[in-house]
Amino acid sequence: MQPRLSEFWLGRRSQLWILGAAAVLALVAANAAWFFPTSDELNTNAYLLHRSIALDVRNQLSNFMNRQETDLTNAADILNQGSASPVEIVSRLMKEDRPFESLALLDKGGIEKFKTHRFLLITQADLKDRSHDPLFMAVSLGQTYISPVVISRISEPIVTIALPLNKDSGYSAIIAEINLKFLLDVVRGVTVGDEPEIHVIVRQ
């Protein structure tokens, strides 16, 4: 009698283990069926959010640079027409467009004939000979020149844009140094997580 009872409980225990294992497997399968689609959806939503943020930042940066280049182009058009004093045009542009940190006019030989800076006092000794610069080579060919980003003497990010001028204007180019602090403010305002790391990549 005793052996039969032991065999009975052993059989029941085996059945319980099998049922328990089956229940665990069913639970895991049910959770997997829910988890993986949800995980994919969360990843997709995160990607779309980050992409939306990146596109917004790109548009802000692009609009900023386009606006500065447009203002500089308008000033170049006025200089080409010879309808106003070059010094007056440059001074007005500096007053109306805060990102311009400095503006200069090059003569036909590539030497700065006039320059003004928002924070620094410019003297005759500060005017440069830029006849051997890539900048002057570009404008001599009628091309717009845009420099890489550099750090200015007051430790701020600067990009230089130069536009060619007609020979009738008496100058070869108008040059603007544009302060990129605005771009840093845009990037600093981006929130993508607890410890975000953001890279701004310049298209060459």
Side-chain angles (χ1 to χ4, degrees):
M1 186 70 175
Q2 187 69 27
R4 290 182 180 178
L5 186 61
S6 298
E7 291 175 3
F8 172 77
W9 284 113
L10 183 61
R12 298 289 290 181
R13 185 181 299 173
S14 298
Q15 291 176 359
L16 290 174
W17 275 108
I18 292 172
L19 290 174
V24 170
L25 289 174
L27 183 62
V28 170
N31 284 332
W34 166 85
F35 173 77
F36 289 110
T38 302
S39 177
D40 290 341
E41 183 178 354
L42 290 174
N43 289 336
T44 299
N45 290 339
Y47 164 76
L48 292 175
L49 174 61
H50 291 174
R51 185 174 185 274
S52 175
I53 292 172
L55 289 174
D56 180 59
V57 171
R58 185 193 68 178
N59 290 337
Q60 290 189 60
L61 303 188
S62 178
N63 290 339
F64 171 79
M65 291 305 299
N66 288 340
R67 187 164 59 251
Q68 311 318 313
E69 190 169 349
T70 297
D71 290 346
L72 194 62
T73 299
N74 292 337
D77 289 341
I78 298 174
L79 287 168
N80 286 332
Q81 294 169 12
S83 57
S85 164
V87 174
E88 179 183 342
I89 294 170
V90 168
S91 299
R92 187 193 314 159
L93 190 57
M94 284 288 288
K95 182 178 179 180
E96 296 176 353
D97 211 320
R98 301 300 297 177
F100 285 154
E101 188 150 299
S102 77
L103 286 168
L105 294 171
L106 293 187
D107 68 11
K108 296 178 182 179
I111 298 173
E112 294 178 343
K113 297 302 291 183
F114 172 77
K115 185 173 184 178
T116 181
H117 196 285
R118 191 169 299 281
F119 306 110
L120 303 175
L121 177 64
I122 302 297
T123 66
Q124 191 69 25
D126 296 315
L127 300 180
K128 300 177 182 178
D129 179 355
R130 311 194 72 159
S131 59
H132 299 292
D133 289 1
L135 176 153
F136 183 66
M137 297 177 187
V139 296
S140 297
L141 297 173
Q143 301 172 353
T144 297
Y145 172 84
I146 301 178
S147 76
V149 177
V150 298
I151 302 302
S152 70
R153 286 185 285 175
I154 57 176
S155 301
E156 291 184 340
I158 295 292
V159 65
T160 300
I161 297 180
L163 297 180
L165 297 174
N166 292 339
K167 295 180 179 180
D168 294 340
S169 70
Y171 300 94
S172 62
I174 180 171
I175 305 172
E177 290 183 333
I178 300 173
N179 194 313
L180 301 181
K181 286 191 301 183
F182 169 83
L183 306 188
L184 297 181
D185 293 340
V186 171
V187 173
R188 289 192 188 105
V190 175
T191 302
V192 292
D194 294 333
E195 297 181 1
E197 182 174 319
I198 302 168
H199 300 269
V200 177
I201 300 173
V202 179
R203 180 184 300 171
Q204 298 295 333

